[in-house]
Short mmCIF file of all heavy atoms in Angstrom, two decimals:
data_model
loop_
_atom_site.label_atom_id
_atom_site.label_comp_id
_atom_site.label_asym_id
_atom_site.label_seq_id
_atom_site.Cartn_x
_atom_site.Cartn_y
_atom_site.Cartn_z
N ALA A 1140 -35.96 27.40 -9.84
CA ALA A 1140 -36.98 26.54 -9.22
C ALA A 1140 -38.37 26.97 -9.71
O ALA A 1140 -38.59 28.14 -10.01
CB ALA A 1140 -36.91 26.65 -7.70
N PRO A 1141 -39.31 26.03 -9.79
CA PRO A 1141 -40.68 26.39 -10.17
C PRO A 1141 -41.26 27.41 -9.18
O PRO A 1141 -41.07 27.28 -7.97
CB PRO A 1141 -41.44 25.08 -10.10
CG PRO A 1141 -40.42 24.01 -10.08
CD PRO A 1141 -39.17 24.60 -9.50
N LEU A 1142 -41.94 28.41 -9.70
CA LEU A 1142 -42.55 29.43 -8.84
C LEU A 1142 -43.82 28.90 -8.19
O LEU A 1142 -44.04 29.09 -7.00
CB LEU A 1142 -42.86 30.68 -9.67
CG LEU A 1142 -43.50 31.85 -8.93
CD1 LEU A 1142 -42.60 32.35 -7.80
CD2 LEU A 1142 -43.81 32.99 -9.90
N LEU A 1143 -44.64 28.22 -8.98
CA LEU A 1143 -45.90 27.67 -8.47
C LEU A 1143 -45.73 26.17 -8.28
O LEU A 1143 -45.40 25.45 -9.22
CB LEU A 1143 -47.02 27.95 -9.47
CG LEU A 1143 -47.30 29.42 -9.74
CD1 LEU A 1143 -48.15 29.60 -10.98
CD2 LEU A 1143 -47.97 30.06 -8.54
N VAL A 1144 -45.93 25.72 -7.05
CA VAL A 1144 -45.75 24.31 -6.73
C VAL A 1144 -46.97 23.76 -6.00
O VAL A 1144 -47.79 24.51 -5.47
CB VAL A 1144 -44.48 24.07 -5.88
CG1 VAL A 1144 -43.22 24.40 -6.67
CG2 VAL A 1144 -44.53 24.87 -4.59
N ARG A 1145 -47.05 22.44 -5.96
CA ARG A 1145 -48.12 21.75 -5.23
C ARG A 1145 -47.87 21.85 -3.73
O ARG A 1145 -46.81 22.28 -3.29
CB ARG A 1145 -48.15 20.27 -5.64
CG ARG A 1145 -48.51 20.03 -7.06
CD ARG A 1145 -48.37 18.52 -7.36
NE ARG A 1145 -48.72 18.24 -8.72
CZ ARG A 1145 -49.96 17.97 -9.12
NH1 ARG A 1145 -50.94 17.95 -8.27
NH2 ARG A 1145 -50.20 17.72 -10.39
N ARG A 1146 -48.84 21.40 -2.97
CA ARG A 1146 -48.75 21.41 -1.51
C ARG A 1146 -47.51 20.66 -1.03
O ARG A 1146 -46.86 21.06 -0.06
CB ARG A 1146 -50.01 20.79 -0.91
CG ARG A 1146 -50.09 20.97 0.59
CD ARG A 1146 -51.29 20.33 1.20
NE ARG A 1146 -52.46 20.44 0.34
CZ ARG A 1146 -53.59 19.79 0.53
NH1 ARG A 1146 -53.72 18.97 1.54
NH2 ARG A 1146 -54.60 19.94 -0.28
N ASP A 1147 -47.16 19.56 -1.71
CA ASP A 1147 -45.99 18.76 -1.30
C ASP A 1147 -44.67 19.31 -1.82
O ASP A 1147 -43.61 18.71 -1.63
CB ASP A 1147 -46.17 17.29 -1.72
CG ASP A 1147 -46.18 17.10 -3.23
OD1 ASP A 1147 -45.98 18.07 -3.98
OD2 ASP A 1147 -46.40 15.95 -3.68
N GLY A 1148 -44.72 20.45 -2.52
CA GLY A 1148 -43.51 21.08 -3.03
C GLY A 1148 -43.12 20.64 -4.43
O GLY A 1148 -42.20 21.19 -5.03
N SER A 1149 -43.82 19.66 -4.98
CA SER A 1149 -43.51 19.21 -6.35
C SER A 1149 -44.12 20.17 -7.36
O SER A 1149 -45.04 20.92 -7.07
CB SER A 1149 -44.03 17.78 -6.57
OG SER A 1149 -45.45 17.76 -6.52
N GLN A 1150 -43.58 20.10 -8.57
CA GLN A 1150 -44.03 20.99 -9.63
C GLN A 1150 -45.39 20.55 -10.16
O GLN A 1150 -45.67 19.36 -10.26
CB GLN A 1150 -43.00 20.96 -10.76
CG GLN A 1150 -43.32 21.91 -11.88
CD GLN A 1150 -42.18 22.01 -12.89
OE1 GLN A 1150 -41.09 21.52 -12.65
NE2 GLN A 1150 -42.44 22.67 -14.00
N TRP A 1151 -46.23 21.54 -10.48
CA TRP A 1151 -47.46 21.22 -11.18
C TRP A 1151 -47.07 20.62 -12.51
O TRP A 1151 -46.15 21.10 -13.17
CB TRP A 1151 -48.31 22.48 -11.41
CG TRP A 1151 -48.90 23.04 -10.17
CD1 TRP A 1151 -48.45 24.12 -9.48
CD2 TRP A 1151 -50.05 22.56 -9.47
NE1 TRP A 1151 -49.25 24.34 -8.39
CE2 TRP A 1151 -50.24 23.40 -8.36
CE3 TRP A 1151 -50.93 21.51 -9.67
CZ2 TRP A 1151 -51.27 23.23 -7.45
CZ3 TRP A 1151 -51.97 21.33 -8.78
CH2 TRP A 1151 -52.13 22.18 -7.68
N ASP A 1152 -47.75 19.59 -12.90
CA ASP A 1152 -47.37 18.87 -14.10
C ASP A 1152 -48.45 19.00 -15.15
O ASP A 1152 -49.63 19.11 -14.84
CB ASP A 1152 -47.17 17.39 -13.75
CG ASP A 1152 -46.32 16.65 -14.75
OD1 ASP A 1152 -46.08 17.19 -15.85
OD2 ASP A 1152 -45.89 15.53 -14.43
N ASP A 1153 -48.04 18.95 -16.39
CA ASP A 1153 -48.98 19.03 -17.51
C ASP A 1153 -49.24 17.64 -18.09
O ASP A 1153 -49.82 17.51 -19.14
CB ASP A 1153 -48.42 19.97 -18.58
CG ASP A 1153 -49.48 20.47 -19.52
OD1 ASP A 1153 -50.66 20.47 -19.14
OD2 ASP A 1153 -49.14 20.86 -20.65
N ASN A 1154 -48.81 16.61 -17.39
CA ASN A 1154 -49.02 15.24 -17.87
C ASN A 1154 -50.34 14.69 -17.36
O ASN A 1154 -50.73 14.94 -16.22
CB ASN A 1154 -47.89 14.33 -17.41
CG ASN A 1154 -46.56 14.70 -18.03
OD1 ASN A 1154 -46.52 15.08 -19.19
ND2 ASN A 1154 -45.50 14.63 -17.26
N PRO A 1155 -51.05 13.91 -18.18
CA PRO A 1155 -52.31 13.30 -17.73
C PRO A 1155 -52.09 12.52 -16.43
O PRO A 1155 -51.08 11.87 -16.24
CB PRO A 1155 -52.69 12.37 -18.88
CG PRO A 1155 -52.00 12.96 -20.08
CD PRO A 1155 -50.71 13.56 -19.55
N GLY A 1156 -53.03 12.61 -15.54
CA GLY A 1156 -52.94 11.94 -14.25
C GLY A 1156 -52.33 12.80 -13.17
O GLY A 1156 -52.57 12.61 -11.99
N GLN A 1157 -51.50 13.76 -13.56
CA GLN A 1157 -50.85 14.66 -12.61
C GLN A 1157 -51.25 16.10 -12.87
O GLN A 1157 -50.65 17.02 -12.35
CB GLN A 1157 -49.33 14.53 -12.74
CG GLN A 1157 -48.78 13.19 -12.39
CD GLN A 1157 -48.92 12.90 -10.91
OE1 GLN A 1157 -48.76 13.80 -10.08
NE2 GLN A 1157 -49.25 11.69 -10.58
N ARG A 1158 -52.22 16.28 -13.71
CA ARG A 1158 -52.54 17.62 -14.19
C ARG A 1158 -53.19 18.50 -13.12
O ARG A 1158 -53.89 18.03 -12.24
CB ARG A 1158 -53.46 17.52 -15.40
CG ARG A 1158 -52.75 16.94 -16.61
CD ARG A 1158 -53.69 16.80 -17.75
NE ARG A 1158 -54.27 18.07 -18.10
CZ ARG A 1158 -53.97 18.76 -19.18
NH1 ARG A 1158 -53.11 18.30 -20.02
NH2 ARG A 1158 -54.55 19.91 -19.43
N TYR A 1159 -52.96 19.79 -13.28
CA TYR A 1159 -53.56 20.80 -12.42
C TYR A 1159 -55.07 20.84 -12.60
O TYR A 1159 -55.80 21.18 -11.69
CB TYR A 1159 -52.97 22.18 -12.75
CG TYR A 1159 -52.88 22.40 -14.24
CD1 TYR A 1159 -53.99 22.78 -14.98
CD2 TYR A 1159 -51.69 22.15 -14.92
CE1 TYR A 1159 -53.92 22.92 -16.35
CE2 TYR A 1159 -51.62 22.30 -16.29
CZ TYR A 1159 -52.73 22.68 -16.99
OH TYR A 1159 -52.67 22.81 -18.35
N ASP A 1160 -55.56 20.47 -13.79
CA ASP A 1160 -56.99 20.61 -14.04
C ASP A 1160 -57.83 19.65 -13.21
O ASP A 1160 -58.99 19.92 -12.94
CB ASP A 1160 -57.34 20.52 -15.52
CG ASP A 1160 -56.84 19.27 -16.21
OD1 ASP A 1160 -56.19 18.43 -15.56
OD2 ASP A 1160 -57.10 19.14 -17.41
N ARG A 1161 -57.26 18.56 -12.75
CA ARG A 1161 -58.00 17.66 -11.85
C ARG A 1161 -58.28 18.38 -10.53
O ARG A 1161 -59.32 18.18 -9.92
CB ARG A 1161 -57.24 16.37 -11.63
CG ARG A 1161 -57.07 15.57 -12.90
CD ARG A 1161 -56.65 14.15 -12.60
NE ARG A 1161 -56.31 13.44 -13.81
CZ ARG A 1161 -57.19 12.90 -14.64
NH1 ARG A 1161 -58.46 13.03 -14.43
NH2 ARG A 1161 -56.78 12.25 -15.71
N GLN A 1162 -57.35 19.21 -10.11
CA GLN A 1162 -57.54 20.00 -8.90
C GLN A 1162 -58.51 21.15 -9.15
O GLN A 1162 -59.34 21.48 -8.30
CB GLN A 1162 -56.19 20.53 -8.38
CG GLN A 1162 -55.21 19.45 -8.01
CD GLN A 1162 -55.75 18.52 -6.95
OE1 GLN A 1162 -56.30 18.97 -5.94
NE2 GLN A 1162 -55.64 17.23 -7.18
N ILE A 1163 -58.41 21.77 -10.32
CA ILE A 1163 -59.32 22.86 -10.68
C ILE A 1163 -60.76 22.34 -10.70
O ILE A 1163 -61.70 23.04 -10.30
CB ILE A 1163 -58.94 23.49 -12.04
CG1 ILE A 1163 -57.53 24.08 -11.99
CG2 ILE A 1163 -59.97 24.49 -12.50
CD1 ILE A 1163 -57.37 25.39 -11.29
N ASP A 1164 -60.94 21.09 -11.14
CA ASP A 1164 -62.29 20.49 -11.14
C ASP A 1164 -62.91 20.54 -9.75
O ASP A 1164 -64.11 20.78 -9.60
CB ASP A 1164 -62.24 19.03 -11.62
CG ASP A 1164 -62.02 18.90 -13.12
OD1 ASP A 1164 -62.04 19.94 -13.83
OD2 ASP A 1164 -61.81 17.76 -13.58
N LYS A 1165 -62.10 20.32 -8.72
CA LYS A 1165 -62.60 20.36 -7.33
C LYS A 1165 -63.10 21.76 -6.98
O LYS A 1165 -64.09 21.92 -6.29
CB LYS A 1165 -61.51 19.92 -6.36
CG LYS A 1165 -61.11 18.47 -6.51
CD LYS A 1165 -59.98 18.13 -5.56
CE LYS A 1165 -59.49 16.70 -5.79
NZ LYS A 1165 -58.33 16.39 -4.95
N VAL A 1166 -62.40 22.77 -7.47
CA VAL A 1166 -62.80 24.16 -7.22
C VAL A 1166 -64.13 24.44 -7.93
O VAL A 1166 -65.04 25.03 -7.35
CB VAL A 1166 -61.72 25.15 -7.71
CG1 VAL A 1166 -62.19 26.59 -7.52
CG2 VAL A 1166 -60.41 24.90 -6.99
#
């Protein structure tokens, strides 16, 4: 199973639109 997951339990994705960097932008 993925070690690092989103709040909803889904895997962080490297696809545009689902990327972790959109969340990092908020930080």
